Amino acid sequence: MTVRKAAFSPAVPSAVVAVALAAGVVVSLDAREAVLATLAVQGGGLAVVGIGVASRRRGHRILGTALAVVGAGVIVGAFDLFVDERHALSYTIRFLPGLVGIPLLAGTLLPVWASGSRLVCKLGTGGVFLTVVFSGLFSAVGELHLLLAAVATVVAWDAADNAVGIGEHLGRAATSWRLQVTHTTGSAAVGLAGVAGIHLVRHVAVSDLSLAAFALLFVALLLLLAAIRG
Amino acid sequence: MPDAYLTDRWRGILVVTLGTGGFGLLARRPSLLLVAALGVVFAAYPRVSSPPEPSLRLERRVSDDSPTHGEPFEVTTTVRNVGDAWIPDLRTVDGLPPALSVVEGTPRHGTALRPGEAASFSYVVEARRGQHRFDPATVVARDVTGGHEVELEIDAETETAVDCASSVPRAPLRAQTTADTGRIAADHGGTGTEFYQTRAYRRGDAIGRVDWNRYAQTGDLTTVEFRAERAATVVLVVDARPAAYRGSKDEPHAVAYSVAAARELVDTMLANRNRVGVAGFGRDVPWLSPGTGRDHRVRAQDLLSRHATFQSRPPTGSVPDIDEQAAQLRARLPDDAQVIVFSPLLDDDLPETIRLLDSRGHAVSVTSPDVTGSDGPGETLVAIERDDRLRRLRAAGIPVVDWSPERSLAATLLDTPGVLDG
């Protein structure tokens, strides 16, 4: 009888949610065809990397390594589709971090590793968050859109971190969808409540605030946070 | 209940928040300040959530509590939230006995539980020889933010154990016996079941023992003698020193097999009217003086399955020297006691102790579970060294039963020449 080995790779449902949200954020920030094409090719490259790593783990070392290298090459090569002189520089600056972050995030959450990496999850979602910040900097999208994209990015990181943690604790074979749903729903609800609150203050309670007033509001929130932490 | 601790998993969000806020101020972008304000909400999120205080009850059922070796059996574990609070994240790792392996499903489960709600999970385990007691389940509970975590162990309401033992018809005993009647054939005539000799009739011989056929044929009165059967005083010594906690890959270690073999022989030898005691080498020298009877059987089984020296996990610290432990054992052994040692014989110290015991007048025999492998030169060397130890012990007149745990001990003993009925 074969003894079953536990696989402690990231939990699949949360991993899927994390990657879908991260990709959704980048695509939603007024992405054009080049970004979509890059993401699609990167997805294909990741699939080849996944098959390669899985083959290596099954003992096909040479074939597996070759596939993984080819897949990584496809991911890097996909940037050629994105780097186009017809785009404004701001467009490149906005999307480049996200297009680096998504393959990092999806790569570490592939269900073929012994376990995922929290640091790479942070780097991946960090890249997506930079795309959000740069979109705000270049005023590419509206405030509400920006806030919702920020919430989705944080929820993507939360889901990715949970996928890695649950994988480490319980393994991929264990049933854990209820707690994954709980965490992701909780974070999304808090984020959406935050967006609703901010939107309310911005557009209903006070109609026209100066930047200085915003800064003071932000400092007040930080002081409130410090009080809670204390 | 242990205190909850902070996981600090949201700590990075504050750095991102301050960075975004600063960037927004420098670039004069109110929208980025709003994103930073959202960051403050997330940074505060784990702080407004209270640490989990789970109150749980665990039940565990096994489909067969006395499976045969190699047979799969199902374990179903149920965790119930008996507290008043919702547990949004509950991760349970069942306390599978170290010697057993899961062949289907997983002993791990994650869920969220409302007050009064229960979650069950099942997995299939392959039975291995011996008695296996389940450990407490390890439970990790987190609040909804994942910012607070508490880890605790929960025992099942009723202890779960599986006993994968087979009955052994005979024990590897030697001819050192007591005057009591038992099952070991003595080298003189008496009452028994095996023919020994005929001799001339003597006054007082029982009339039922006279050979009437011979009398009818020859007219000579002769008496039939059967081989006398005697009982023995036996002390079973289990080697549970760190060196014995070795096993093939994915298989139980030798101590688990040795304890299982000792438990099987305790029953056999007590049923055959021998006086049986239990001892061991390892963390300590556990001792149960030789005795008989049903209560003594319970005491012996209890010592073998519960004493710290025989537990499944190897000792972490240093253990007393084997010479010191052997001296303690010799001081306690009755003069007429013979000894059965259970050891994988993976070091040179124990064979020396065995020879010394034998030379001091205690007939020693050895039952040795073979846990050596053949993967690579290291394992092959260990196996060769063990074979050499077995050969040298046999050369010194000490019977050794070389037991491959894939076979039952009973079958191995029946196939081993020179094993006496005990």
Side-chain angles (χ1 to χ4, degrees):
Chain A
M1 195 170 286
T2 313
V3 174
R4 183 155 181 175
K5 295 279 183 197
F8 293 97
S9 52
V12 174
S14 288
V16 169
V17 168
V19 175
L21 279 174
V25 166
V26 171
V27 171
S28 75
L29 292 170
D30 196 23
R32 287 175 221 148
E33 270 179 26
V35 171
L36 298 177
T38 308
L39 282 174
V41 176
Q42 282 179 338
L46 275 169
V48 177
V49 169
I51 293 166
V53 175
S55 302
R56 264 184 70 90
R57 290 170 74 87
R58 285 190 172 84
H60 307 292
R61 297 182 69 85
I62 297 171
L63 176 71
T65 308
L67 282 172
V69 170
V70 168
V74 170
I75 294 168
V76 175
F79 284 98
D80 194 45
L81 295 169
F82 172 66
V83 181
D84 190 330
E85 286 177 359
R86 284 173 297 174
H87 297 148
L89 181 64
S90 65
Y91 187 83
T92 309
I93 292 172
R94 274 208 300 136
F95 285 104
L96 194 60
L99 290 177
V100 172
I102 289 171
L104 282 177
L105 179 69
T108 196
L109 294 178
L110 279 176
V112 292
W113 306 112
S115 70
S117 161
R118 288 192 167 86
L119 178 64
V120 179
C121 286
K122 279 180 188 154
L123 290 174
T125 45
V128 176
F129 192 74
L130 276 180
T131 293
V132 175
V133 170
F134 290 152
S135 295
L137 179 71
F138 295 117
S139 305
V141 291
E143 271 175 18
L144 184 61
H145 192 155
L146 202 66
L147 287 171
L148 289 174
V151 169
T153 310
V154 175
V155 175
W157 163 78
D158 185 43
D161 190 74
N162 274 323
V164 173
I166 291 165
E168 284 173 354
H169 269 144
L170 303 175
R172 206 176 63 215
T175 307
S176 59
W177 62 268
R178 268 186 81 165
L179 71 88
Q180 295 183 57
V181 169
T182 305
H183 281 302
T184 307
T185 311
S187 303
V190 166
L192 291 176
V195 171
I198 290 167
H199 195 65
L200 199 74
V201 172
R202 183 88 174 96
H203 292 286
V204 180
V206 278
S207 55
D208 196 20
L209 279 177
S210 65
L211 183 72
F214 268 114
L216 278 174
L217 190 66
F218 177 56
V219 171
L221 277 170
L222 283 177
L223 288 173
L224 179 66
L225 176 66
I228 293 170
R229 289 170 80 93
Chain B
M1 184 189 296
D3 288 338
Y5 51 87
L6 289 168
T7 60
D8 279 340
R9 65 188 290 267
W10 291 91
R11 194 172 46 185
I13 207 93
L14 193 60
V15 179
V16 173
T17 300
L18 291 172
T20 309
F23 197 56
L25 277 174
L26 285 174
R28 306 177 69 83
R29 288 287 185 277
S31 59
L32 289 183
L33 282 174
L34 292 179
V35 172
L38 191 64
V40 176
V41 172
F42 276 115
Y45 178 41
R47 297 289 165 171
V48 294
S49 167
S50 54
E53 292 176 3
S55 184
L56 300 160
R57 188 175 292 160
L58 187 93
E59 292 167 34
R60 196 186 289 115
R61 280 184 292 111
V62 290
S63 60
D64 184 357
D65 58 8
S66 52
T68 53
H69 178 77
E71 188 183 307
F73 63 95
E74 190 178 52
V75 183
T76 305
T77 303
T78 304
V79 192
R80 185 176 296 280
N81 179 4
V82 292
D84 299 327
W86 175 52
I87 305 170
D89 179 341
L90 185 71
R91 305 171 188 197
T92 309
V93 181
D94 206 3
L96 187 68
L100 298 183
S101 305
V102 174
V103 291
E104 195 184 317
T106 170
R108 297 159 182 265
H109 187 75
T111 191
L113 287 180
R114 292 189 298 273
E117 196 181 8
S120 291
F121 56 99
S122 299
Y123 53 97
V124 178
V125 174
E126 186 177 309
R128 284 274 177 256
R129 224 172 287 294
Q131 192 190 45
H132 307 281
R133 208 172 295 282
F134 279 71
D135 292 331
T138 304
V139 167
V140 174
R142 286 182 164 197
D143 63 352
V144 69
T145 70
H148 299 89
E149 183 174 291
V150 64
E151 182 175 328
L152 58 156
E153 293 195 331
I154 337 171
D155 262 323
E157 283 182 319
T158 51
E159 188 182 71
T160 324
V162 287
D163 198 352
C164 177
S166 53
S167 62
V168 180
R170 53 202 303 194
L173 287 180
R174 293 176 67 184
Q176 187 174 34
T177 56
T178 64
D180 299 329
T181 302
R183 288 283 308 276
I184 301 172
D187 199 17
H188 56 85
T191 55
T193 53
E194 184 191 344
F195 175 77
Y196 182 61
Q197 64 176 5
T198 56
R199 59 167 170 78
Y201 174 79
R202 290 187 211 129
R203 280 178 67 116
D205 283 347
I207 202 156
R209 306 249 309 264
V210 172
D211 186 350
W212 294 111
N213 289 336
R214 185 164 182 169
Y215 179 71
Q217 285 170 12
T218 65
D220 296 333
L221 265 178
T222 52
T223 300
V224 177
E225 276 200 332
F226 294 91
R227 193 180 288 276
E229 290 180 338
R230 291 286 177 250
T233 297
V234 192
V235 175
L236 309 178
V237 181
V238 174
D239 176 15
R241 294 168 305 132
Y245 282 89
R246 185 188 168 115
S248 306
K249 201 173 174 220
D250 297 327
E251 296 290 330
H253 50 63
V255 175
Y257 285 128
S258 294
V259 169
R263 294 185 71 240
E264 290 177 14
L265 289 185
V266 160
D267 284 355
T268 302
M269 288 191 295
L270 284 173
N272 292 346
R273 298 188 294 276
N274 298 294
R275 293 171 61 77
V276 180
V278 177
F281 295 136
R283 291 173 174 84
D284 195 2
V285 184
W287 175 253
L288 177 69
S289 298
T292 57
R294 197 171 295 172
D295 290 347
H296 188 74
R297 176 185 167 276
V298 173
R299 280 195 293 274
Q301 294 287 6
D302 204 47
L303 183 85
L304 283 164
S305 55
R306 288 179 193 276
H307 196 280
T309 299
F310 304 132
Q311 65 178 248
S312 307
R313 292 189 171 78
T316 47
S318 61
V319 298
D321 181 61
I322 180 74
D323 294 336
E324 199 181 301
Q325 297 205 332
Q328 279 185 48
L329 178 67
R330 280 203 308 276
R332 287 163 166 174
L333 279 177
D335 290 341
D336 60 351
Q338 56 173 299
V339 176
I340 303 179
V341 176
F342 300 86
S343 170
L345 296 174
L346 296 176
D347 66 340
D348 288 321
D349 293 341
L350 195 64
E352 195 54 43
T353 305
I354 290 169
R355 277 193 287 271
L356 188 66
L357 270 175
D358 200 63
S359 67
R360 296 281 169 93
H362 298 289
V364 184
S365 59
V366 179
T367 296
S368 179
D370 182 5
V371 290
T372 58
S374 54
D375 288 346
E379 288 194 7
T380 307
L381 183 65
V382 170
I384 291 170
E385 286 178 343
R386 176 178 173 274
D387 286 346
D388 188 49
R389 287 181 201 110
L390 261 65
R391 191 179 49 72
R392 279 188 280 144
L393 281 172
R394 282 173 179 147
I398 295 164
V400 182
V401 177
D402 186 5
W403 174 38
S404 170
E406 280 307 304
R407 297 186 71 204
S408 73
L409 181 61
T412 306
L413 290 174
L414 287 169
D415 288 351
T416 306
V419 172
L420 296 172
D421 251 351

